[in-house]
Amino acid sequence: MAQYYCYQQDGALVLSDARMDERAFAYGDGFFSTIGVCDGQMVCAPFHAERILTGLSALRLSASVDELMMALTQLAKQMREGILKIIITRPKQSVRGYGFVGMAAAQAYIKAMPSPVYQGVRFKDGIPVQPVMARQMVLMQGQLSHRSPWLSGLKLIGCPEQVLIHAELLERQQLDDSITDGLVSNVHGQWVCATMGNIFYQLDGCWYTPPVDISGVAGVMRAALMASTVLGKVHERVLQTADLPLISGLITTNAVRGITPITNLCGRPLTDDWDAAGFIP
């Protein structure tokens, strides 16, 4: 019978549980979604349901999305305001290593975190809009890899690239407290996203968002904003370094925070009329 140990910093071996056999722990075999809750309702719930359905299909997992959403709805009503996080993984398998035994019933872990996350935040067409204030975005050195097509856009639980890029952001913020977020590129030099969200940028009066077919995450708020009329018609367009000095408006989007206006890019003030766009509370 297998025994499990945890190696301690003092060199001791301590008996542990069997979490090493969990697919999420061993292989990052799953995906997740983080959901904002306001007034007992999940923010952009239909788009979270679509993300879950897409993730299940891509990873060959089965679950009743309707029943799962009903459970999340009940938790949202109880919590009233805060954040729900759901991690969906493949259960333990009867084969070793990376082995795969076909379509499996998904495991879902849910964490409820009550918090006044929407105090002082207004909503526009059901999308949270953060107050306009001084926010600077800088360019990150860390890059995202080129994903395989069947993992395109998924919010995977195995995401060390994003962890290390965020670590870089924290180091930069210690040296310059005016930095709010960072713009992240992929290995092809295309600017894809922020450190913890998608981006939308304005060129010549039109709004665009980078495609996420080879790098990055197809964010819930990204989908909601593209389906809304908040920015008008939004097109997907690759963002190159040569475009950066020409950008007049820039926002980040995140499933919980919603829209966050950026006022400064690499030391250059952005001149978009946020009042006209309806972003000022």
Side-chain angles (χ1 to χ4, degrees):
M1 183 176 179
Q3 287 187 307
Y4 301 87
Y5 299 90
C6 180
Y7 177 78
Q8 305 292 302
Q9 290 295 326
D10 60 4
L13 286 174
V14 178
L15 284 173
S16 182
D17 56 28
R19 73 187 67 183
M20 285 180 65
D21 291 338
E22 292 287 346
R23 302 281 297 195
F25 186 92
Y27 309 116
D29 191 2
F31 63 98
F32 73 100
S33 201
T34 307
I35 307 167
V37 175
C38 183
D39 292 332
Q41 301 288 325
M42 287 185 286
V43 176
C44 298
F47 295 95
H48 283 285
E50 184 62 31
R51 162 180 278 176
I52 291 172
L53 188 63
T54 299
L56 289 170
S57 176
L59 296 185
R60 301 186 190 181
L61 294 167
S62 65
S64 170
V65 177
D66 288 342
E67 291 181 4
L68 189 53
M69 292 303 293
M70 286 177 61
L72 291 168
T73 297
Q74 184 61 37
L75 288 172
K77 289 180 180 178
Q78 295 171 4
M79 186 167 59
R80 300 302 302 169
E81 185 172 357
I83 301 171
L84 292 171
K85 181 174 181 179
I86 180 168
I87 296 178
I88 297 176
T89 75
R90 196 179 317 280
K92 295 179 182 179
Q93 305 260 301
S94 59
V95 292
R96 296 180 60 187
Y98 297 116
F100 179 79
V101 295
M103 184 73 72
Q107 291 184 140
Y109 300 92
I110 302 171
K111 180 180 180 181
M113 298 169 278
S115 175
V117 291
Y118 294 114
Q119 300 302 304
V121 176
R122 71 186 291 266
F123 282 72
K124 186 175 179 65
D125 292 349
I127 295 174
V129 181
Q130 299 294 324
V132 177
M133 60 181 65
R135 296 186 181 94
Q136 178 177 197
M137 178 171 276
V138 294
L139 307 183
M140 295 288 98
Q141 297 297 314
Q143 295 182 315
L144 301 176
S145 61
H146 186 133
R147 277 194 182 178
S148 301
W150 58 86
L151 298 178
S152 174
L154 296 185
K155 195 172 180 67
L156 299 171
I157 58 175
C159 48
E161 292 172 336
Q162 287 90 337
V163 171
L164 293 175
I165 289 170
H166 194 254
E168 178 191 342
L169 175 65
L170 294 178
E171 292 170 357
R172 300 276 293 275
Q173 288 174 329
Q174 289 178 352
L175 300 175
D176 184 350
D177 60 10
S178 72
I179 297 174
T180 302
D181 206 339
L183 195 61
V184 182
S185 67
N186 61 20
V187 292
H188 305 291
Q190 302 166 346
W191 298 99
V192 178
C193 58
T195 60
M196 291 189 294
N198 294 111
I199 60 168
F200 290 75
Y201 62 96
Q202 190 180 49
L203 283 175
D204 298 325
C206 296
W207 283 96
Y208 303 94
T209 188
V212 290
D213 54 337
I214 61 174
S215 302
V217 172
V220 161
M221 201 58 62
R222 176 182 187 270
L225 187 53
M226 292 183 74
S228 77
T229 59
V230 173
L231 296 179
K233 181 65 175 177
V234 176
H235 299 277
E236 286 192 337
R237 178 184 180 278
V238 172
L239 179 60
Q240 304 283 7
T241 300
D243 297 320
L244 299 183
L246 306 177
I247 289 176
S248 58
L250 182 64
I251 64 174
T252 66
T253 59
N254 173 283
V256 174
R257 294 194 301 267
I259 293 173
T260 301
I262 302 297
T263 60
N264 189 291
L265 176 61
C266 300
R268 180 176 67 86
L270 299 176
T271 58
D272 184 63
D273 188 347
W274 297 114
D275 191 19
F279 289 158
I280 296 182

